[in-house]
Amino acid sequence: MPNNLSTLEPYLDIHPRIAAALANQQPVVALESTIISHGMPYPKNVETALLVEQTVREQGAEPATIAIINGRLTVGLDKAQIQHLGERGLEVIKTSRRDIPFIVAQQLDGATTVAATMIIAAMAGIKVFATGGIGGVHRQAEISMDISADLQELSRTSIAVVCAGVKSILDIGLTLEYLETQGVPVVGYKTKVMPAFYTQSSDFEVDYQLDSAASIAKAMQAKWDLGLSGGLVVANPIPAAHAMDPEAIEQVITSALVEMQQQGIQGKQTTPFLLAKIAQVTAGESLAANIQLVLNNARLGAAIAQELARLE
Ligand code: PSU
Ligand code: MN
């Protein structure tokens, strides 16, 4: 248990089943909620969120979906709360690090990004987090300066984020450079190539290839035992059967980026706009791929959480 839990108590609600699991050193996997409210359309978002939880449970770990509900930092949503976030969709405020105090103070609901979910998961003492994709350095960031707060969070908050790599709506090379500068390791699970979300590969290599959940857990333990705080990225390629054609997806992304510029979309709307556009243009193929890769990450996240619990 983190020792500052008592000062957090007025703000933090940890579901009893998760509090019990953490107290007994049982494996727990954090899950985010921006992917529910902003990342997928209703009702697939709700179905997927519940299926991801079930998958984590089947793999022997406790799922903890995280959001802000009525201003309460909530670790372990119930079914009704997931339904609520999914149904209200874009009306729920996308909440990253900067937004948290305002959502709390005004007792609002917040769908937490990777960054905000990391923060709240760490408050609860969770060490492993599974999602689809992380934010990153956007293409042409040299003009927009659009760099996701997820990257900065990875440098400061000690949690492993299992994802399917970085989507090529972003500049994958610059994202990796940024992570290197911030001292955030990028581990490839059974791959030395950085995966690109919808596809298994990109033009870039990861820092370290590790081939088992146990070896990833060992590296996490060594990092934190040595006082090297901060997170790490575990890049887990989408299963081959669900991967998309790299050229087709690149075309879709390029035209979505053009449309985004024409419509003047910027700031926090960027990522959700591009995701929705891609899903629309690919007639749901990208959504199906997205769901499969999240499930795949949930399985690996659960396995890493189990190995970590064993080491502790
Ligand atoms: N990438 C995805 N799906 C998502 C997101 C990113 O493939 O749902 C969400 C995550 O919650 C991530 C956030 O933390 O978008 C990043 O948003 P921004 O780039 O505005 O930081
Ligand atoms: Mn941004």
Side-chain angles (χ1 to χ4, degrees):
M1 278 287 158
N3 39 24
N4 59 350
L5 208 53
S6 56
T7 54
L8 292 170
E9 218 161 329
Y11 300 100
L12 189 62
D13 284 332
I14 304 178
H15 195 286
R17 71 182 157 76
I18 292 156
L22 290 167
N24 297 317
Q25 321 272 339
Q26 299 291 310
V28 176
V29 177
L31 302 163
E32 61 149 313
S33 47
T34 291
I35 192 173
I36 303 174
S37 295
H38 294 253
M40 289 182 189
Y42 180 80
K44 278 277 181 213
N45 54 3
V46 173
E47 285 167 30
T48 304
L50 296 175
L51 194 55
V52 171
E53 287 206 335
Q54 189 190 321
T55 303
V56 170
R57 234 172 250 127
E58 281 167 7
Q59 301 294 311
E62 197 60 59
T65 304
I66 291 174
I68 304 179
I69 304 288
N70 276 326
R72 307 281 305 166
L73 310 183
T74 307
V75 178
L77 301 185
D78 62 29
K79 217 171 155 178
Q81 289 168 327
I82 289 176
Q83 175 70 27
H84 169 74
L85 292 181
E87 239 171 36
R88 288 201 42 223
L90 301 184
E91 286 167 37
V92 184
I93 299 168
K94 180 177 161 188
T95 304
S96 195
R97 170 178 273 270
R98 65 160 182 206
D99 308 290
I100 294 175
F102 301 92
I103 308 300
V104 167
Q106 296 173 43
Q107 301 180 324
L108 299 172
D109 295 335
T112 49
T113 63
V114 168
T117 304
M118 288 175 75
I119 293 168
I120 299 169
M123 286 174 181
I126 300 172
K127 306 276 174 47
V128 182
F129 167 15
T131 187
I134 56 169
V137 180
H138 283 259
R139 295 193 196 183
Q140 298 194 321
E142 67 274 25
I143 296 163
S144 66
M145 285 189 68
D146 191 347
I147 299 173
S148 174
D150 292 352
L151 300 186
Q152 192 66 31
E153 203 57 51
L154 278 158
S155 76
R156 63 201 294 176
T157 299
S158 300
I159 187 162
V161 180
V162 183
C163 64
V166 174
K167 214 180 246 124
S168 55
I169 59 173
L170 303 168
D171 189 315
I172 300 176
L174 290 187
T175 300
L176 292 171
E177 290 295 344
Y178 193 95
L179 289 170
E180 182 196 5
T181 303
Q182 298 291 329
V184 179
V186 179
V187 174
Y189 179 64
K190 295 187 176 169
T191 180
K192 64 178 196 312
V193 176
M194 182 69 179
F197 198 85
Y198 297 119
T199 57
Q200 288 195 314
S201 64
S202 69
D203 297 336
F204 302 90
E205 293 201 343
V206 296
D207 304 322
Y208 295 93
Q209 172 176 345
L210 295 178
D211 295 334
S212 68
S215 56
I216 296 170
K218 255 182 153 170
M220 289 161 64
Q221 190 190 40
K223 178 171 164 60
W224 296 327
D225 277 355
L226 292 168
L228 300 170
S229 61
L232 61 160
V233 176
V234 178
N236 184 29
I238 183 172
H242 304 287
M244 295 177 72
D245 173 47
E247 272 151 42
I249 194 75
E250 177 59 30
Q251 260 183 11
V252 173
I253 287 170
T254 310
S255 66
L257 285 166
V258 170
E259 194 171 329
M260 187 180 83
Q261 269 188 336
Q262 285 166 346
Q263 293 189 26
I265 308 274
Q266 44 173 300
K268 70 191 277 191
Q269 269 80 48
T270 302
T271 301
F273 174 86
L274 291 171
L275 295 182
K277 203 79 230 164
I278 293 164
Q280 186 193 328
V281 173
T282 61
E285 190 194 346
S286 68
L287 180 58
N290 199 345
I291 293 169
Q292 291 303 322
L293 66 83
V294 176
L295 293 173
N296 193 45
N297 296 340
R299 284 188 287 269
L300 179 57
I304 295 170
Q306 271 184 330
E307 293 296 339
L308 200 63
R310 211 160 283 162
L311 290 176
E312 284 165 351

